[in-house]
Amino acid sequence: MSDDVDAFIARVTPAKRQRDAEVLLELYGRVTGLEPELWGSIVGYGGYHYRYATGREGDTPAAAFAPRKAATSIYLMDGVGTHHELLGRLGPYSSGVGCLYLRDLTINDLGVLEQIVTASFRALTAGTFTDRAREHHN
């Protein structure tokens, strides 16, 4: 793991969020087989290229999370709705179009979370998914 990621995680507060980040480092590493990189304040793995319908395009991590004070953000760029069947078994969460917000991983089913992250990562790295979550409807 990079020193930047280690230093970033060491500064995460509150302690519960730091603990969850350490759990996610292991989970994401296992799922992706990649080392984490910092994308600002986001811990990302791999990458994918997206293109809006307007023609605007860019690059973003294929799998990512961000430990925030209120909750940990789990980025699902293929859209949270893509994973609706698994979400019923995850445990407590809130969500946006492309993010899950988890307040305490000790009360979530980490096996289900791993299935969600795995499916999202595979979809984004298959080379066929080029939408952004807000443009991908299921």
Side-chain angles (χ1 to χ4, degrees):
M1 184 172 2
S2 79
D3 291 340
D4 289 347
V5 173
D6 283 338
F8 172 72
I9 298 300
R11 292 188 309 270
V12 168
T13 58
K16 172 170 60 173
R17 210 68 65 230
Q18 186 179 72
R19 176 205 66 208
D20 288 354
E22 290 170 356
V23 169
L24 291 173
L25 285 172
E26 182 181 323
L27 186 148
Y28 277 74
R30 186 171 54 250
V31 165
T32 67
L34 301 170
E35 290 294 316
E37 296 179 40
L38 273 183
W39 294 60
S41 62
I42 296 172
V43 179
Y45 295 79
Y48 91 102
H49 188 78
Y50 65 86
R51 181 175 294 117
Y52 288 111
T54 62
R56 182 174 169 229
E57 56 187 284
D59 295 292
T60 193
F65 69 91
R68 307 283 187 224
K69 284 190 190 287
T72 297
S73 299
I74 305 292
Y75 295 94
L76 301 172
M77 298 312 296
D78 58 337
V80 171
T82 303
H83 309 281
H84 67 275
E85 289 181 22
L86 288 169
L87 290 172
R89 299 190 346 246
L90 179 62
Y93 72 92
S94 57
S95 64
V97 174
C99 284
L100 288 178
Y101 304 106
L102 305 176
R103 293 183 179 268
D104 185 348
L105 290 185
T106 64
I107 59 175
N108 290 107
D109 186 322
L110 294 179
V112 171
L113 181 60
E114 186 165 341
Q115 289 176 16
I116 292 168
V117 172
T118 298
S120 181
F121 181 74
R122 285 183 180 158
L124 293 171
T125 57
T128 57
F129 187 91
T130 59
D131 293 338
R132 293 289 299 229
R134 72 182 81 163
E135 297 175 341
H136 184 69
H137 303 285
N138 283 330

